[in-house]
Amino acid sequence: MGEGFDTRVIALVMALRNAGIRDSKVLAAIERTPRDLFVPESFADQAFENRPLPIDCGQTISQPYIVALMTQALEVTDRCKVLEVGTGSGYQAAVLARLARRVYTIERYRTLAKEAGTRFAALKLSNIVTRIGDGTKGWPEQAPFDRIIITAAAPERPDAILAQLREGGICVAPVHNGPVQTLFRYRNEAGMIHEEALCDVRFVPLVEGAARSM
């Protein structure tokens, strides 16, 4: 790490703290995950700015604040088995991998999944399992999960995915809520799903099926 890199990372972490991210373990995971590795080379100079950036296949890498907010809302511990729906660049999974026991991540675009896998290997994150497929179905073979995070906006409450949440588990997901998208936290308490609206957000849509190309 060069001096410039360190300065940008510190500035980003301070910005997240000032924006209300209080979980020190989440901030440490962000600090240890080089976001410039997850963005296209043409945007490398903006990698540590608190903003979303475009990636391949018409997708985006979320702004660091949203990544930190969703991760904090998940309440991840080192005993958690986590499902991520929507690998994208792999940045969110890489942050989670520094907090959880194991992360299972699904991506519908083959290009994104392969690129993310290469980044995980480069960072020696051996506790991430990747899959190319239809994220709207979750990962039934590995269910139940302690935590689930969805990084694309579902058209309605994602009950098929919530059914894979262990009792006592937590899911964080953006869902279309009238004209806006709202970030919800769902808790499985005694087999009942309780929901809590966190804030309005903007994500790419959650799409059924694996992509036929890309």
Side-chain angles (χ1 to χ4, degrees):
M1 288 187 185
E3 186 176 342
F5 180 91
D6 287 343
T7 302
R8 291 184 297 166
V9 172
I10 291 169
L12 174 59
V13 170
M14 289 303 297
L16 297 178
R17 191 187 301 275
N18 292 338
I21 303 302
R22 295 286 179 257
D23 190 318
S24 60
K25 291 183 179 179
V26 171
L27 292 170
I30 297 272
E31 185 174 1
R32 294 173 57 205
T33 306
R35 192 169 184 251
D36 56 334
L37 186 66
F38 294 87
V39 304
E41 192 173 339
S42 57
F43 289 97
D45 61 330
Q46 302 173 52
F48 295 98
E49 296 177 10
N50 189 21
R51 55 180 294 189
L53 294 169
I55 59 173
D56 288 342
C57 305
Q59 305 300 296
T60 59
I61 177 174
S62 295
Q63 73 179 103
Y65 171 72
I66 293 296
V67 171
L69 177 67
M70 293 178 76
T71 306
Q72 179 173 266
L74 268 184
E75 302 174 13
V76 180
T77 72
D78 59 7
R79 299 178 65 181
C80 284
K81 177 182 178 182
V82 180
L83 170 65
E84 179 192 37
V85 175
T87 312
S89 69
Y91 180 66
Q92 175 73 79
V95 171
L96 288 168
R98 301 188 186 281
L99 300 167
R101 176 171 60 86
R102 190 166 295 278
V103 177
Y104 293 82
T105 181
I106 307 174
E107 174 54 54
R108 69 189 303 267
Y109 290 107
R110 186 173 302 275
T111 295
L112 294 180
K114 289 178 66 177
E115 290 175 351
T118 299
R119 294 176 182 125
F120 300 151
L123 292 172
K124 296 180 170 57
L125 296 172
S126 59
N127 62 334
I128 302 178
V129 183
T130 61
R131 180 182 198 175
I132 300 164
D134 183 354
T136 66
K137 293 180 169 59
W139 199 324
E141 301 91 336
Q142 290 295 339
F145 297 93
D146 302 296
R147 302 289 186 269
I148 299 175
I149 185 169
I150 303 177
T151 61
E156 56 191 13
R157 194 173 89 164
D159 287 325
I161 297 175
L162 291 174
Q164 297 174 31
L165 192 61
R166 188 187 304 278
E167 186 169 330
I170 298 171
C171 171
V172 174
V175 179
H176 284 278
N177 185 21
V180 299
Q181 296 175 9
T182 300
L183 187 65
F184 286 95
R185 174 163 52 190
Y186 300 98
R187 295 181 187 270
N188 182 346
E189 298 177 355
M192 299 287 291
I193 299 296
H194 299 269
E195 67 180 42
E196 171 190 2
L198 300 179
C199 62
D200 289 344
V201 289
R202 180 180 292 180
F203 279 84
V204 298
L206 180 65
V207 179
E208 287 188 32
R212 294 186 178 182
S213 59
M214 295 196 290

